[in-house]
Amino acid sequence: MSALHIKKGASKHSAYNLRPTFSDVIERHTLAVLVENEPGVLARVIGLFSGRGYNIDSLTVAEVDHTGHRSRITIVTTGTPQVIEQIKAQLGRIVPVHEVHDLTVDGASVERELAILKVVGQGDKRVEALRLADIFRANVVDSTLSSFIFEITGAPEKIDAFADLMRPLGLTEVARTGVAALLRGD
């Protein structure tokens, strides 16, 4: 009788999925968490991340329902699919948390961020900074004889690209709001 030669993970001759269900791929996820707007809630949510060694790439919080006293926390984090699932499950177990949505998985979403950047320079560098700002649709919100402060909104990648181009022109300071995100459609 000859031995069966089946590749690991192959399911042609088996009714079972033999492929491993874990992955080592690091993914970026945007989580929207609806919570009670009460003291200590943000500290508990952040404590979950810090206590387990998870990183937060971006964090924004704002009250979204004044009468219902609810706030929305938007968190951008990275991890393996197992870590992301664990984060979502643990967030859902925190008492003042009402809903946890993974906008990366739930469907197409719109992510935007606001940044203000100070660029200090003279002569041709100032002209080039204004030209680039026009291309990126950034607004000049303050101007002196030696500096500009630009306001730019868009996807985080757009803001990163704008900042990278402004560095050689005299970028000295950057302030970013963090990502705000919503699912598209109904």
Side-chain angles (χ1 to χ4, degrees):
M1 186 169 192
S2 68
L4 224 73
H5 297 287
I6 299 175
K7 290 184 193 176
K8 185 176 180 179
S11 58
K12 182 176 180 184
H13 300 287
S14 175
Y16 301 101
N17 181 6
L18 302 175
R19 288 186 169 85
T21 57
F22 58 88
S23 172
D24 292 335
V25 177
I26 302 295
E27 300 175 345
R28 177 185 177 272
H29 283 254
T30 302
L31 306 175
V33 185
L34 191 63
V35 300
E36 283 293 321
N37 187 13
E38 59 186 40
V41 174
L42 181 60
R44 289 165 70 184
V45 169
I46 301 314
L48 182 148
F49 281 80
S50 65
R52 288 160 182 81
Y54 303 145
N55 190 40
I56 295 174
D57 296 331
S58 174
L59 174 73
T60 57
V61 184
E63 187 175 43
V64 293
D65 181 2
H66 298 293
T67 58
H69 302 291
R70 295 203 176 168
S71 292
R72 180 184 174 106
I73 303 173
T74 304
I75 303 167
V76 178
T77 189
T78 54
T80 64
Q82 296 80 9
V83 167
I84 299 297
E85 287 304 316
Q86 186 178 26
I87 289 170
K88 292 189 300 189
Q90 291 170 349
L91 281 171
R93 286 194 290 267
I94 296 175
V95 172
V97 171
H98 293 285
E99 298 174 20
V100 177
H101 297 281
D102 187 344
L103 301 180
T104 307
V105 173
D106 291 349
S109 63
V110 175
E111 292 186 4
R112 291 293 179 262
E113 187 175 3
L114 170 86
I116 52 176
L117 302 91
K118 182 188 282 186
V119 178
V120 176
Q122 300 289 326
D124 290 342
K125 287 187 176 185
R126 285 177 62 86
V127 173
E128 182 65 10
L130 285 172
R131 189 184 70 74
L132 286 171
D134 187 46
I135 292 169
F136 278 83
R137 294 188 178 104
N139 298 316
V140 176
V141 293
D142 185 60
S143 178
T144 67
L145 294 175
S146 61
S147 71
F148 290 115
I149 295 180
F150 296 104
E151 172 190 74
I152 184 169
T153 59
E157 297 80 14
K158 174 184 174 182
I159 294 172
D160 291 341
F162 184 67
D164 289 344
L165 290 171
M166 287 296 173
R167 273 190 186 84
L169 300 177
L171 179 66
T172 59
E173 287 184 68
V174 178
R176 295 174 78 150
T177 60
V179 173
L182 290 174
L183 279 176
R184 294 189 68 205
D186 294 337

